[in-house]
Amino acid sequence: MKCEYFLKQPEAEISIVDSYRRYLRKYEKSMECYQIFFDFHNECNEFSNKLSINLRNSYNEIAMNLDNSVKKLMKLKQREMIIRRENLKLLIESAEDRGDEEREIEVNELIEMNSKFNEITESFDLSVQEIDEIDEEVQKKMNELEENYTRERLVKIDLKEFQKFYKYQSLLKEYEIANDELNSCKMRKRKSFNEVDNWTKMENDLTKIEEAIRVLDEKKALNEEKESSKEEEYTEQKAHLEKFRSFLQMEMIEELFENKKETMDLIEKYQRISFLNLMQLEYFPQCQRDNIDDFVFNDFIADFKLMKFRNRF
């Protein structure tokens, strides 16, 4: 553990209620982002319908992979919300069992928060099989992280008292690496947004070419009976326009491929963070009924994320 983070002035304590409010806001924000992605994805699909069969097939392949990645990320977020809902329920039961009158207001707020979590999670389409598959993948990734971390240790500590210490340490290390990579990926993605004007220009050029072809076809139809000698001229002009259109479409699809590749990379980084969140929830649950060590470790992880990243993922 990097002690300098914990030797600093501690941050203002965030209540459990505030934490769960934040989880809700983050989930709602995520869903808004996913909707924006799917709207843009549909627009791109409409554009792909104008492409040649070969270009369309190439585009559809990468688009399908990206679509699957986003759907998987959504399922990871849903699994996270389900676990948080279950933990919240246990927190409420624990508080009610203690009968602490001083915390009655907080308990009522937690009950209200639980209703909101229930309302959201009821709409999830996660099957039991999908939940099991996600949980197995979380366990596998956690084991790999811990094994890799302990393999690098020159001296191994006897963990009789804190059996999850290496899990905790490996999780912190991975959070830091994942956050750095995510930020780098975001910066690259922001730079690509500057190319939107170029895409708009190409779209306008493509529209002009298609309009020119349409006008040319109309002229040809009107003059077919009057001036059959211009048939060759019309055919040549149309061939040039169609070739220019194909060239422009290839440039546009190339830019789309690059955009999809960057988006895929970004989605993978978010998936990595989501898996880490699920590992934290699985092995260090935020619930009073669990082992006190788990609760303390979870608190340390939350503080680490807040101090290091100014954010609780």
Side-chain angles (χ1 to χ4, degrees):
M1 178 174 62
K2 296 189 175 180
C3 295
E4 61 266 26
Y5 293 126
F6 301 101
L7 292 174
K8 294 178 181 178
Q9 183 69 24
E11 300 284 336
E13 184 68 22
I14 296 178
S15 71
I16 292 176
V17 175
D18 287 338
S19 293
Y20 275 88
R21 284 200 186 101
R22 184 172 296 187
Y23 300 145
L24 274 177
R25 287 198 301 270
K26 283 185 174 294
Y27 177 77
E28 290 167 354
K29 185 66 176 177
S30 297
M31 291 303 104
E32 290 175 7
C33 292
Y34 297 151
Q35 189 57 54
I36 291 172
F37 164 79
F38 284 120
D39 289 344
F40 175 70
H41 185 60
N42 290 335
E43 289 179 13
C44 292
N45 287 343
E46 289 179 10
F47 165 73
S48 71
N49 292 331
K50 302 176 183 178
L51 302 173
S52 65
I53 293 177
N54 289 338
L55 284 176
R56 193 186 311 153
N57 290 340
S58 298
Y59 170 81
N60 288 341
E61 182 178 353
I62 191 170
M64 183 177 65
N65 291 336
L66 181 56
D67 187 59
N68 290 337
S69 292
V70 173
K71 287 179 179 177
K72 180 173 182 179
L73 179 58
M74 290 178 68
K75 290 184 183 298
L76 292 176
K77 295 297 291 184
Q78 288 179 353
R79 180 59 180 138
E80 179 182 333
M81 291 294 284
I82 289 172
I83 296 175
R84 293 198 186 283
R85 180 199 66 193
E86 293 168 350
N87 286 347
L88 180 56
K89 183 179 178 182
L90 291 174
L91 281 168
I92 293 170
E93 291 175 356
S94 178
E96 288 176 336
D97 289 346
R98 290 197 307 272
D100 190 346
E101 294 183 3
E102 293 181 2
R103 302 188 66 183
E104 185 177 348
I105 295 177
E106 184 180 30
V107 171
N108 290 335
E109 289 178 331
L110 288 175
I111 292 173
E112 182 181 348
M113 192 66 61
N114 187 51
S115 297
K116 293 179 181 178
F117 268 79
N118 285 333
E119 183 180 345
I120 289 175
T121 55
E122 281 175 0
S123 64
F124 291 171
D125 57 353
L126 270 178
S127 67
V128 174
Q129 181 180 349
E130 286 174 325
I131 289 175
D132 290 341
E133 288 173 354
I134 290 173
D135 291 349
E136 287 175 9
E137 195 168 358
V138 167
Q139 184 178 3
K140 180 182 177 182
K141 288 180 180 294
M142 183 74 260
N143 290 338
E144 289 174 353
L145 280 182
E146 186 177 12
E147 287 172 8
N148 291 337
Y149 183 85
T150 54
R151 195 180 300 121
E152 296 172 357
R153 301 301 93 196
L154 295 176
V155 178
K156 292 184 174 57
I157 303 172
D158 185 1
L159 300 179
K160 289 181 181 178
E161 188 173 356
F162 297 107
Q163 295 182 358
K164 294 184 180 180
F165 181 72
Y166 282 141
K167 281 186 173 64
Y168 160 74
Q169 289 282 35
S170 60
L171 200 57
L172 289 192
K173 180 180 178 182
E174 186 68 7
Y175 261 127
E176 188 163 10
I177 295 171
N179 182 72
D180 289 343
E181 291 188 2
L182 177 62
N183 286 336
S184 297
C185 191
K186 282 181 177 179
M187 289 181 65
R188 291 194 299 272
K189 189 65 178 169
R190 287 192 192 103
K191 289 179 181 178
S192 70
F193 287 158
N194 296 329
E195 299 172 2
V196 170
D197 289 342
N198 185 44
W199 172 265
T200 303
K201 181 180 180 301
M202 287 193 292
E203 271 193 320
N204 291 336
D205 289 343
L206 186 62
T207 300
K208 290 176 183 177
I209 293 170
E210 290 172 343
E211 177 65 15
I213 292 174
R214 185 188 66 78
V215 171
L216 195 63
D217 286 340
E218 288 180 354
K219 283 184 177 180
K220 179 183 176 183
L222 288 172
N223 289 283
E224 265 182 351
E225 297 180 0
K226 298 178 181 178
E227 301 180 54
S228 57
S229 60
K230 287 193 174 183
E231 171 77 22
E232 188 175 336
E233 181 183 340
Y234 283 129
T235 302
E236 186 176 343
Q237 287 178 359
K238 185 174 181 179
H240 281 301
L241 286 170
E242 288 178 338
K243 186 161 288 190
F244 187 29
R245 178 177 62 183
S246 297
F247 177 77
L248 189 57
Q249 285 178 341
M250 288 183 69
E251 281 197 324
M252 293 177 75
I253 200 68
E254 183 70 22
E255 193 153 326
L256 265 183
F257 282 158
E258 188 61 30
N259 178 275
K260 295 289 185 184
K261 182 181 177 183
E262 290 174 352
T263 304
M264 178 77 82
D265 193 29
L266 185 62
I267 294 301
E268 287 174 354
K269 299 298 184 290
Y270 275 118
Q271 280 188 12
R272 187 175 181 181
I273 294 290
S274 289
F275 272 115
L276 290 173
N277 289 341
L278 287 169
M279 290 178 211
Q280 181 182 350
L281 285 167
E282 173 65 24
Y283 294 97
F284 308 103
Q286 187 185 30
C287 180
Q288 295 283 10
R289 282 191 169 184
D290 287 292
N291 186 291
I292 188 64
D293 292 346
D294 291 346
F295 193 79
V296 171
F297 275 134
N298 179 76
D299 209 33
F300 279 166
I301 294 170
D303 285 343
F304 174 84
K305 287 157 68 174
L306 185 62
M307 293 178 188
K308 175 64 178 175
F309 314 130
R310 310 302 304 174
N311 181 26
R312 292 175 187 248
F313 294 115

